[in-house]
Amino acid sequence: MMEVQKYLFEVIKSRISEQYRLVDVIENLLDVSVDSAYRRIRGEKELSFSEVQKICRHFHLSLDEIMNFNPASGVSFQYMPVDLAEQSSYMQYILRLSETLSGLAATKDGELFVTAQDIPFYHFLPHTELLFFKLYVWHDIINRERISFCEFCDRLDRDAIVSVYDKMFRDYMKIPSREIWTNQTPDTILRLLDFYAETGAFDNPETFALLLKQLTALLDTVNTYANSGYKDDKRQTPFLLYLCSVDLENNYMLARRGEHYACTIKLYTVNSVSTDNATLCGETAKWINHLILKSTLISGTASKECFRFFQTSKNKIEELIHKME
């Protein structure tokens, strides 16, 4: 049991911001004295089952994985259902994502690795209507409710959602990132826009024009990051963009906090599953590193390759505009 307890506290320590002490977190969470918290952390006092449950709930940990963390026993994932017919479930989902990003942003040696089968959602955060469009696609596929995009947006509590988006984007901008894209990465959102325009999802032609304008702005922003090799003007947050000729198969996000990794795998259009399992995260890190070796770095000095890639994507947007006209 003490080995399990030791593993539990290692996981917790990797999840809390560096500005907090582990002993203070445990003291407040379990409502025990500082000395009692220290004894639990050092393994001198065994946690009760109810205390383990409380810790797992608070940090969104899998009790199964904590109680049996032998890598050979399998992998446990965390998953939160999302139903856009009930906005509260989506708010819970993005608040949890925001909490994860916030912890990573507060870590001195945190880093984010992303394989982008389609454009990572972080880049959509400043472009509200474009991100709402992705939610609309998810809602249409899952619930098969034939309403227009504008009707769907009218149902959303824009202010509440955007406030979380803004916080997430500010945190993302603080995290050094390495992203692996392919020539087809921007095509997913373009195909969706094309399909839903063809099927009459947009009541107002100006709405479709706005979405394409925001997509152009999104690509221009990522192009700016890639050209400089940094997300910010002060050149404090590195951004490395790789172009890979190998099919990435899915969107994987690997968050590194020191020696600890957490892996998130995208599901469908919006949702995802995540795990701290050391074996799976280690294999994912190895796979991403091998992909990087097979990819071309188009950040920084590779300005010609970077320009060609983003210009090709913007040309596809122009073709879609002409098609709709």
Side-chain angles (χ1 to χ4, degrees), residues 127-133 136 148-154 158 193 196-197 200-215 320-321 324:
H127 308 285
T128 304
E129 284 75 20
L130 197 58
L131 189 44
F132 281 1
F133 172 69
Y136 171 71
S148 71
F149 173 63
C150 291
E151 289 174 316
F152 173 79
C153 290
D154 287 341
R158 182 186 178 97
L193 286 166
Y196 281 93
F202 305 110
D203 295 332
N204 188 337
E206 292 182 3
T207 301
F208 184 64
L210 173 62
L211 294 175
L212 292 179
K213 182 179 179 180
Q214 290 188 355
L215 180 57
L320 186 54
I321 292 173
M324 291 304 121

Side-chain angles (χ1 to χ4, degrees), residues 228-323:
S228 68
Y230 293 88
K231 296 180 183 179
D232 58 319
D233 294 335
K234 296 181 180 180
R235 301 171 70 87
Q236 294 179 337
T237 309
F239 178 85
L240 299 180
L241 182 63
Y242 298 86
L243 192 59
C244 185
S245 58
V246 177
D247 185 5
L248 301 176
E249 299 180 3
N250 204 343
N251 283 37
Y252 284 75
M253 182 187 79
L254 192 66
R256 181 180 66 82
R257 299 179 63 175
E259 297 180 358
H260 181 81
Y261 287 89
C263 181
T264 300
I265 305 172
K266 183 179 176 182
L267 298 178
Y268 324 123
T269 305
V270 173
N271 214 336
S272 59
V273 293
S274 58
T275 183
D276 294 291
N277 181 272
T279 301
L280 187 142
C281 289
E283 290 294 315
T284 303
K286 183 188 298 183
W287 174 64
I288 290 176
N289 286 329
H290 287 169
L291 278 179
I292 287 174
L293 293 175
K294 296 178 182 293
S295 303
T296 301
L297 176 66
I298 62 173
S299 291
T301 58
S303 56
K304 182 185 292 185
E305 290 82 357
C306 189
F307 173 81
R308 185 184 300 118
F309 172 75
F310 284 101
Q311 189 58 49
T312 299
S313 298
K314 292 170 71 173
N315 289 343
K316 292 177 182 178
I317 295 176
E318 289 296 325
E319 290 173 5
L320 186 54
I321 292 173
H322 294 319
K323 177 182 176 180

Side-chain angles (χ1 to χ4, degrees), residues 56-93:
C56 287
R57 287 197 193 100
H58 182 80
F59 290 101
H60 311 300
L61 299 172
S62 165
L63 184 59
D64 287 341
E65 186 166 354
I66 293 300
M67 298 305 292
N68 186 7
F69 66 95
N70 185 338
S73 65
V75 179
S76 296
F77 287 92
Q78 298 157 28
Y79 172 76
M80 177 180 287
V82 177
D83 181 2
L84 289 169
E86 296 290 337
Q87 186 174 304
S88 60
S89 74
Y90 180 65
M91 286 296 296
Q92 290 176 357
Y93 175 71

Side-chain angles (χ1 to χ4, degrees), residues 20 23 41 51 53 59 64 90 94 106 127 136 158 161 163 171 174 182 187 189 204 214 225 229 241 261 282 297-298:
Y20 300 112
V23 65
I41 293 170
E51 289 175 334
Q53 283 184 309
F59 290 101
D64 287 341
Y90 180 65
I94 61 174
H127 308 285
Y136 171 71
R158 182 186 178 97
I161 294 175
S163 67
D171 285 329
K174 299 174 185 176
T182 73
D187 291 352
I189 185 68
N204 188 337
Q214 290 188 355
Y225 297 163
L241 182 63
Y261 287 89
L297 176 66
I298 62 173

Side-chain angles (χ1 to χ4, degrees), residues 10-24:
E10 287 176 356
V11 172
I12 295 170
K13 190 173 182 179
S14 72
R15 291 199 169 203
I16 61 176
S17 172
E18 292 181 350
Q19 64 186 351
Y20 300 112
R21 297 193 309 161
L22 177 60
V23 65
D24 295 333

